Amino acid sequence: MENLEVIDVDTMLWHAGDFGRFQFILIMLFSVINAFSAFHYFGQTFISLEPEHRCIVENNEGIATSCGVSFANGTVEPCSQWEYNSSYGYISLVQELDWVCGDYWKSSVGQSVFFGGSLIGSLLLGILADRIGRVHVLVIANLLAFLGNFCTIFVEEAVSYSIIRFIAGCASDTNFVMMYMIVMEYLRPSMRTMGLNLTIGIFYCISSILVPWIAVLCGNWRNFLLVISMPHLVVGFFYFLVPESAQWLISRGKFAEAMKCFQRIAKTNKRQIPDKAIQGLKLYATENIKEGAKNESFFGLLKTPKLRRKTIILIFKSMVLNLCYDAIARNVNGLGLSPFIIFSATSVTILPGCLVILLLQDRIGRKALASSSLFLGGIIISIAGIILASFDSPSLTLILTVIARLNVVVAYNSGSQYAFELIPTVVRAQGVSVVHVAGFAATFFSPQILYLSTFWKPLPEIVLGILLLMCAVLCLFLPETFNKTLPVTLQDGENFGENEDMFKYCCCFKKDITESTIVLNEA
């Protein structure tokens, strides 16, 4: 270390301990956030579940249908009362408030404004995170999740329901993304894939599988919301457990506060940070962080050509993956199986998807896994559509849906980490939020794409397959990020990986290591 004058954030993290007791604690807290996030996001599905129903016929006059009573003279009268066939005895909001038939729009509007809240909340909270910090916004988002879910318990009519679900939606995604960002920045680069994806694969998967059965155990939607809302209050204690992002603090010119974070990590990991390392990081901060970086926004990603190209590719990829995931999920409907069983069965794909990432991403690299999973997903979805055009089997449909979703899960989760690593620290929260919001917005088109089946049955799958193949090609124009120091400034992002060939994969160039790796080896 005698010859080292300037060191970056990852090298300082190595001195403080980049995979020790502190990181273990951080991953455990991230596991908690995974569970809370799954309960919050998928809870919306089960409070608004529409059970099978039909009219109650008085005096055995007429024939009951789901929304009316038909009489012998040919007249049809609307229902005033319904009887429900609830799966496992679970009573949803739709059933309790009789929001079916002509009133079903009330529940649909609630789901739409929840989705709209997630779009607006992700954007605004992402901007706020780059202004006041990741930990503050993490706590704010989880408090919004608590407030939205808890207050929903007391609604009785559509207007208040929609307003409160909008508040709940504002928390969606941000209540997970902020913790993801912090964990990623405090992990050794070579361990990010394992730490992040193993946690998501186990805890998010298990939580998603359990969501419908927690609803069943609760018996009704009010008890269910109470159970899934209260745990969010625990996140308030994260102020005392989770340090702010040191990279963000440095990007805002708060070097002293950043060093307090590293000293805290070193103390937990029982390490000592040399004075020369502190001076080296201070030199790095002085040379690389400009005063103007404090006021950078997402639009800075679009000002320069190379960074603009990377950002547009990330946005397009997010849109396609969200669109495909949503369209595949919608295609599960109508199989004649319990929605609780279908939901749990398709959620199982999260764990093997993350295990595939864990096994391959640090072997073949981010770019290779992203492009290959997108390519494979596009081929499988297209073939599945053509096969399903010739068969009418619910079981075969479910199997192919699970396989297709598995490929999309691999592409989506590996792509999420890729975006975090490519977007510079100074606008990382805003940039990631815009990428996620663009993906959410694209799901508006999934019903229209599925409607194409009225013209030719396999057409939706073929369209989705083509989009995935286009993404696979575009990913080749992104740089590899494995084992590399993350870009901090916009200029870092502009220059990052620009000397790479588009077919350069880390599995083929194992000797290509970064300067920070050389420094650590010399140390």
Side-chain angles (χ1 to χ4, degrees), residues 375-427:
F375 179 81
L376 186 60
I379 295 296
I380 290 178
I381 289 176
S382 300
I383 293 175
I386 295 173
I387 292 175
L388 292 175
S390 305
F391 297 93
D392 185 18
S393 169
S395 298
L396 180 61
T397 302
L398 182 60
I399 291 171
L400 291 175
T401 298
V402 170
I403 295 173
R405 180 173 285 193
L406 175 61
N407 282 273
V408 175
V409 165
V410 173
Y412 183 88
N413 287 349
S414 63
S416 296
Q417 184 175 340
Y418 208 177
F420 275 97
E421 293 177 341
L422 280 174
I423 296 175
T425 301
V426 290
V427 291

Side-chain angles (χ1 to χ4, degrees), residues 33-49:
I33 291 295
N34 271 272
F36 293 174
S37 178
F39 294 155
H40 173 71
Y41 185 79
F42 295 119
Q44 175 67 23
T45 300
F46 291 96
I47 66 172
S48 56
L49 200 64

Side-chain angles (χ1 to χ4, degrees), residues 49 326-337 339 342 397 401 450:
L49 200 64
D326 188 72
I328 291 171
R330 289 176 185 269
N331 259 346
V332 175
N333 295 328
L335 291 181
L337 300 173
I342 294 173
T397 302
T401 298
L450 294 178

Side-chain angles (χ1 to χ4, degrees), residues 157-168:
E157 46 83 30
V159 175
S160 59
Y161 175 70
S162 297
I163 293 172
I164 294 172
R165 294 320 293 167
F166 179 85
I167 295 173

Side-chain angles (χ1 to χ4, degrees), residues 7 53 155 239 323 467:
I7 67 170
H53 56 277
V155 303
Y239 272 124
L323 179 62
L467 289 172

Side-chain angles (χ1 to χ4, degrees), residues 113-329:
V113 297
F114 179 89
F115 179 77
S118 69
L119 296 180
I120 295 174
S122 293
L123 280 174
L124 295 181
L125 292 175
I127 294 172
L128 191 62
D130 282 332
R131 295 287 186 269
I132 68 173
R134 282 48 163 149
V135 176
H136 292 296
V137 172
L138 171 69
V139 174
I140 290 171
N142 279 275
L143 289 179
L144 283 173
F146 163 76
L147 181 66
N149 286 329
F150 184 76
C151 291
T152 304
I153 296 172
F154 305 100
V155 303
E156 296 287 347
E157 46 83 30
V159 175
S160 59
Y161 175 70
S162 297
I163 293 172
I164 294 172
R165 294 320 293 167
F166 179 85
I167 295 173
C170 287
S172 183
D173 203 43
T174 306
N175 59 345
F176 168 86
V177 166
M178 291 301 120
M179 192 64 182
Y180 185 106
M181 198 178 301
I182 293 169
V183 175
M184 184 193 70
E185 292 179 0
Y186 280 126
L187 275 178
R188 181 188 305 167
S190 62
M191 300 302 294
R192 286 174 188 150
T193 296
M194 186 186 78
L196 292 168
N197 287 283
L198 190 60
T199 305
I200 295 171
I202 294 175
F203 290 94
Y204 198 85
C205 177
I206 293 174
S207 300
S208 299
I209 293 171
L210 290 178
V211 167
W213 309 111
I214 291 175
V216 169
L217 289 174
C218 290
N220 64 71
W221 67 280
R222 296 183 193 272
N223 292 338
F224 175 58
L225 279 178
L226 182 63
V227 168
I228 67 173
S229 65
M230 296 303 291
H232 287 283
L233 294 175
V234 174
V235 182
F237 293 101
F238 279 38
Y239 272 124
F240 310 102
L241 301 172
V242 179
E244 185 53 81
S245 162
Q247 285 192 342
W248 175 79
L249 289 169
I250 290 174
S251 74
R252 304 291 291 180
K254 300 178 179 180
F255 178 79
E257 293 181 37
M259 277 310 307
K260 288 181 181 179
C261 293
F262 284 122
Q263 294 287 7
R264 178 179 173 183
I265 295 170
K267 182 178 180 181
T268 305
N269 288 336
K270 298 182 179 181
R271 301 282 293 270
Q272 291 288 333
I273 300 177
D275 291 338
K276 291 186 67 175
I278 297 174
Q279 295 304 316
L281 183 64
K282 191 171 185 177
L283 283 173
Y284 169 82
T286 303
E287 293 179 5
N288 290 275
I289 309 301
K290 299 178 181 179
E291 185 68 22
K294 298 180 183 180
N295 299 313
E296 293 288 4
S297 69
F298 164 78
F299 297 103
L301 295 172
L302 305 177
K303 289 180 181 178
T304 52
K306 298 171 184 177
L307 191 54
R308 179 168 58 242
R309 183 191 71 232
K310 298 167 190 172
T311 303
I312 291 173
I313 292 174
L314 290 173
I315 289 174
F316 180 73
K317 185 159 70 71
S318 177
M319 293 175 68
V320 170
L321 286 171
N322 277 275
L323 179 62
C324 291
Y325 196 92
D326 188 72
I328 291 171

